[in-house]
């Protein structure tokens, strides 16, 4: 009888561990490489772009996937099978402003394009805001 209890306790722990490692700790795979064209990557951020203006736009358009701090842990991220990437990482921040602006403009499924949803000035303001997440 005692042994049976131990076996059940063991099985329970095992399933619990499997469940936890699948949900909370499993890292989603990165998407395929997504290089911006050289002409886009070299674009400079206009001096008028202000992070303060990008903050609300980020909350409105991006936070649901990318998360409050850009960690890629927004509420919609759970349902996406690739990583939304970590905006605070050196890898992300190592890109040029032009590259980040281009990706925000174009999008790539499942990420939407923001070409029509925001003006150039608004997208630059969001890029300025993303720089504050490092
Ligand atoms: C529906 C979810 C979703 C929304 C909303 C969303 N994104 Fe994304 N974003 C993603 C996913 C998923 C990726 C990874 C795409 C890939 O690797 O193909 C991504 C990638 C990016 C990248 C490239 C990351 C890198 O490491 O180079 C940038 C920049 C970006 N998003 C900016 C934004 C901005 C700015 C907004 C809001 C204006 C936004 N995203 C809204 C899902 C989303």
């Amino acid at each position: 009888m005692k042994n049976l209890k131990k076996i059940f306790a063991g099985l329970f722990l095992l399933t619990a561990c499997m469940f936890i490692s699948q949900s909370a700790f499993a890292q989603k795979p990165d998407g395929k490489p997504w290089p911006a064209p050289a002409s886009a990557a070299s674009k400079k951020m206009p001096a008028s772009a202000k992070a303060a203006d990008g903050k609300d736009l980020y909350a409105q358009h991006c936070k649901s996937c990318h998360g409050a701090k850009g960690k890629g842990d927004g509420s919609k991220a759970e349902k996406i099978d690739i990583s939304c990437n970590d905006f605070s990482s050196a890898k992300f921040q190592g890109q040029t402003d032009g590259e980040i602006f281009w990706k925000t403009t174009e999008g790539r499924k499942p990420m939407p394009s923001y070409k029509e949803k925001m003006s150039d000035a608004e997208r630059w303001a969001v890029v300025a805001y993303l720089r504050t997440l490092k």
Side-chain angles (χ1 to χ4, degrees):
M1 204 54 195
K2 255 191 181 165
N3 275 342
L4 208 63
K5 261 190 187 164
K6 272 187 187 159
I7 289 169
F8 273 120
L11 279 176
F12 175 78
L13 270 178
L14 196 72
T15 6
C17 286
M18 277 163 65
F19 182 76
I20 290 168
S21 63
Q22 283 226 323
S23 52
F25 301 116
Q27 267 280 324
K28 300 209 173 167
D30 286 343
K32 294 196 185 79
W34 188 14
S39 58
S42 60
K43 270 206 185 140
K44 296 271 173 294
M45 172 147 48
S48 55
K50 296 279 175 291
D53 299 329
K55 196 175 179 198
D56 284 349
L57 290 164
Y58 179 86
Q60 194 185 331
H61 295 282
C62 324
K63 196 176 129 186
S64 57
C65 291
H66 288 287
K69 299 220 158 85
K71 293 277 188 186
D73 56 356
S75 56
K76 282 194 201 160
E78 246 173 72
K79 297 196 177 72
I80 296 176
D81 53 6
I82 56 169
S83 164
C84 293
N85 296 353
D86 179 358
F87 290 160
S88 69
S89 69
K91 189 176 169 208
F92 177 80
Q93 293 289 343
Q95 304 185 78
T96 64
D97 294 333
E99 284 174 295
I100 297 173
F101 178 78
W102 180 81
K103 291 179 180 182
T104 303
T105 305
E106 299 300 323
R108 185 170 79 167
K109 265 188 179 169
M111 176 171 152
S113 156
Y114 288 93
K115 210 182 282 182
E116 314 286 338
K117 295 188 176 122
M118 275 192 253
S119 68
D120 281 17
E122 286 176 323
R123 274 177 274 120
W124 278 118
V126 172
V127 174
Y129 177 68
L130 297 186
R131 290 303 189 196
T132 69
L133 299 174
K134 62 175 151 255

